[in-house]
Amino acid sequence: MALLQSTMFISPLSVKSKPYHYSISSFGFRRLNLNLHYRRQRDGAVVMATSGDVDAFTKYSGYLFEDGASSEAEFLEEYNLARIAAIYRRKPILVFRRFVQIGTTFGQWFASRYLDSLLERSDEMFKVRATELRRILIKLGPAFVKIAQAVSSRPDVIPPAYLEELSLLQDRIAPFSTKVAFNLIEEELGSPIEVLFSEISPEPTAAASLGQVYQARLCSNGQVVAVKVQRPGVQTAISLDIFILRFLAGLVRRAGRLNTDLQAVLDEWASSLFREMDYMAEARNGVKFRELYGGLQDVFVPKMYMDRTSKRVLIMEWVEGQKLSEVRDLYLVEVGVYCSLSQLLEHGFYHADPHPGNLLRSSDGKLAYLDFGMMGEFKQELRDGFIEACLHLVNRDFDALAKDFITLGLLPPTAQKDEVTKALTDVFQNAVNKGVRNISFEDLSGNLGRTMYKFKFQIPSYFSLVIRSLAVLEGIAISFDPEYKVLSSSYPWIARKVLTDSSLKLRSTLQTLLYKDGVFQIDRLESLLNESLRARTEESLTRKEVQNTDSDREIKQVLSFTLTEKGAFVREILLQEFVKGIDALGLATLDSVTSGAASRLPIAIPSSSALFVSEEDISNLRTLHRLLQLISSFQKTETQNKEVKYSSVEEGKIMPYREEASLVLYRMASAQDFLPILAAIPELPAESQQQLLRLPADLAGKLLSRAVARTIRRLFV
């Protein structure tokens, strides 16, 4: 729920008996007579009486929690399908009434849409129907509002008129009575309003599906806080609607012969929704979120007041700001992507409901996160599997991608891998050919539907929340930059992660990625390095930083990475490839000298190339040439921001190996290529400089070992 900017305050000067009468402070508001009572009867029913208007949800769906037995669901501690089913199986009339209400309400709306198409007036009635749909969702209650919120941030999927209306569901739902809210605050926190707050706004500053927010000032320390109060009856209504939706989900799955367990997905969503309705759990989530991510550059997480929070009342630090979707700040979207990737792939604790109402641009220009009720846990093996899938997708390794889909639970283990690989190639080839910086979620999902059905794809419950957390950010960015691609911002982070992570699984993945049939894939390393240089870090994530970094900074980044403990694995790979390349260069040089000497003899001598240089040596020589080119490329600004073009090792066979050896020798002798590297060394940390001094000895030792091993092999094998 967004906490919108507000300056409305009243001061409770005297409260002697109910109903409350609040005097107005110097802010100049009119007198309020909040003549409303909120109480709970012995049988657990929630009873409301008011002298004013009742909000649409209570008026239209209030019968759901007027019944004492049905409101048992209001006090469930967690989502419990068995208990919910037991409650509503005893109430078939109530269930049937709600079922008919949902069916007729949506049925009338769809009938109106169909009539519009028959009368050829769809265009002029488009906005009217969008408004009607929003009102229907509000009347039916929080479960349907939450579903609509899930799609309200995708301008590339939802028509503008509907997007505008559904976005109002994020924080502009008609509030319930303030008197009900104040009575609930007192009941939950066990103290009168005037003891808790020196000032409090007379009306909610924001209202959403589950509750509403007041701005107040604590008596204890004078801090301005947000007081979040849960809407009465929401858990009862949601419980019944989930009970009905599970039944419908089962029918849809059987009728459509779908592979995805829709009921399991609904159960996962319902569990997270029940956790969201427990404000004590939300406060704990907020504390953990603040500890993990509150220190990130330009990220703000409000403080939670745990000692003044209950299951249905939450008090947290007030945030001044505007919704991120309403300000054209692409930089904060980048901050959000970086923070989301840290959540998903670094710590595995992520915000599962980042709709635009929960993301603000604070008054001091930071990205503020709100509403920590719906959080997700991403297990380590799934995090690694997700990273592997992204790597294999970008590198067109569709055979490995098929295995990743099994690991992630998207495919059953019994799937025919060869057929799946071919199908994935057909689905993703065109999207990947655009380059990693041009891939959108729409590209990836375009032709996936038929393939999912054919191979019994299933959508794990965790996966929909993970994808949504990134899709929402892309949707916000698309609203003011149609060319924005969240994967373009995500993949550099993934590249840096796989190059630096100490996980044995990711190191094995990197090893497999860089070596195909025993041949080093220099193009893939080049791609990973180039992309990792684009990755936003806490140090580089500043508004002043320009998009194109200079060559000196790139050289320093590469050196800093390869010479630290995090880069030890990649450094070892590079050393091995340099050793193999230098060894091959020595053999090629010896072959050239021998061939040159033999050509001067008066008799013909058979070529010695087969004796000195093998096909493996030729491949290693070309790899060395490419490595030297890669080092040289980091100092050329014209190579920046270009997509890496993949090429096979076989393309190098156009150049004879002796000529390539000459070029390698020339490049190694060229001081110009190494001057920028030498200039960057004094700026490195002392530990990195010491590691750099050890490299020549390491290189010489490995080279000697390889030469001895080759000599023994050729003598005795």
Side-chain angles (χ1 to χ4, degrees), residues 637-656:
T637 56
E638 62 269 18
T639 63
Q640 295 171 3
N641 296 321
K642 288 186 178 180
E643 286 286 348
V644 175
K645 301 298 183 182
Y646 289 84
S647 60
S648 62
V649 175
E650 288 74 9
E651 290 176 351
K653 289 185 177 179
I654 298 173
M655 181 184 297

Side-chain angles (χ1 to χ4, degrees), residues 520 522 525 529 562 569-579 627 630:
F520 184 61
I522 180 65
L525 177 63
L529 285 173
T562 54
F569 187 69
V570 174
R571 182 173 69 246
E572 186 63 25
I573 291 176
L574 290 172
L575 277 176
Q576 291 288 355
E577 292 305 317
F578 268 108
V579 165
L627 285 171
L630 179 60

